[in-house]
């Protein structure tokens, strides 16, 4: 651990979420603080997981947007081809963002584009052998690292996954949204 990381760590027993809740309770006893322990920790975890994933991808020489594009194509099954519209839907990003991702991946020979037969404006994007090899090599690296980060949970990982699924479904119902494009960004209207 680097010295700067050491200084950033909290003293033993002092949890930032608990400290925030305690301070609000002290200063404004009427303020509901029950969400702080969950929401603050989820935001902190999202930041840590995101930062770590970006580090792993940088080491592999892949940017997150490119891996997302290649992964969506790979998960679609043979022939690893999708329309740009479907790519946008499955990637939870705008058509403009997909267009940029596809152009960048095409320049790197990771995908090819062609008109969709019988559809005047539709474009199909297909994974190239180089793109297939890159996603195969990279996805295992990313998912193995994230599995390692969750290792201490043991069998409780499945319980946590279910609780988070229930929480996400409930919050999306309450907010009348069906998904998010990125942590902290506006959801997609339902």
């Amino acid at each position: 651990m680097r010295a700067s990381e050491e200084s950033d760590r909290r003293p033993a027993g002092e949890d930032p979420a608990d400290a925030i809740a305690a301070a609000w309770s002290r200063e404004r006893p009427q303020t509901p603080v029950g969400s702080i322990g969950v929401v603050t920790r989820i935001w902190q975890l999202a930041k840590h997981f995101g930062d770590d994933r970006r580090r792993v991808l940088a080491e592999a020489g892949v940017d997150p947007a490119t891996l997302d594009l290649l992964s969506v194509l790979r998960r679609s099954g043979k022939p690893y081809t999708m329309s740009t519209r479907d790519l946008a839907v499955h990637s939870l990003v705008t058509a403009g963002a997909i267009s940029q991702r596809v152009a960048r991946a095409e320049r790197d020979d990771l995908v090819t584009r062609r008109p969709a037969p019988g559809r005047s404006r539709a474009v199909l994007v297909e994974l190239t052998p180089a793109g297939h090899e890159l996603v195969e090599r990279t996805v295992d690296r990313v998912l193995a690292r994230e599995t390692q980060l969750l290792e201490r949970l043991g069998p409780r990982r499945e319980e946590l996954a279910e609780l988070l699924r229930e929480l996400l479904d409930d919050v999306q119902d309450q907010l009348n949204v069906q998904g998010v494009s990125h942590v902290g960004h506006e959801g997609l209207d339902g």
Side-chain angles (χ1 to χ4, degrees), residues 65-104:
T66 298
L67 181 62
D68 184 51
L69 172 71
L70 300 179
S71 295
V72 170
L73 285 166
R74 176 62 179 87
R75 290 191 314 261
S76 72
K78 287 184 178 182
Y80 312 119
T81 303
M82 296 177 76
S83 70
T84 52
R85 184 180 191 287
D86 287 341
L87 280 168
V89 168
H90 289 278
S91 297
L92 302 174
V93 297
T94 65
I98 281 298
S99 180
Q100 290 176 352
R101 289 177 181 190
V102 169
R104 191 169 48 245

Side-chain angles (χ1 to χ4, degrees), residues 88-95 172 175-182 185-190:
V89 168
H90 289 278
S91 297
L92 302 174
V93 297
T94 65
Q172 288 179 161
L175 299 176
N176 194 30
V177 295
Q178 294 179 352
V180 293
S181 59
H182 189 275
H185 287 79
E186 193 170 318
L188 305 172
D189 291 327

Side-chain angles (χ1 to χ4, degrees), residues 9 17 19-20 41-42 47 49-50 52-53 57 69 71 73 98-99 109 124 131 141 149 159 163 176 186:
R9 296 182 60 89
I20 291 167
R41 289 183 182 103
I42 288 172
K47 179 172 182 351
F49 282 122
D52 193 70
R53 179 178 276 204
L57 289 175
L69 172 71
S71 295
L73 285 166
I98 281 298
S99 180
D109 193 36
L124 294 177
R141 195 170 179 178
L149 291 172
E159 181 182 350
L163 288 170
N176 194 30
E186 193 170 318

Side-chain angles (χ1 to χ4, degrees), residues 153-173:
L153 288 176
R156 296 180 302 158
R157 185 180 68 217
E158 295 304 319
E159 181 182 350
L160 177 59
E162 183 57 35
L163 288 170
L164 290 171
R165 181 182 303 108
E166 289 175 26
L167 177 62
L168 180 60
D169 287 347
D170 186 52
V171 169
Q172 288 179 161
D173 284 347

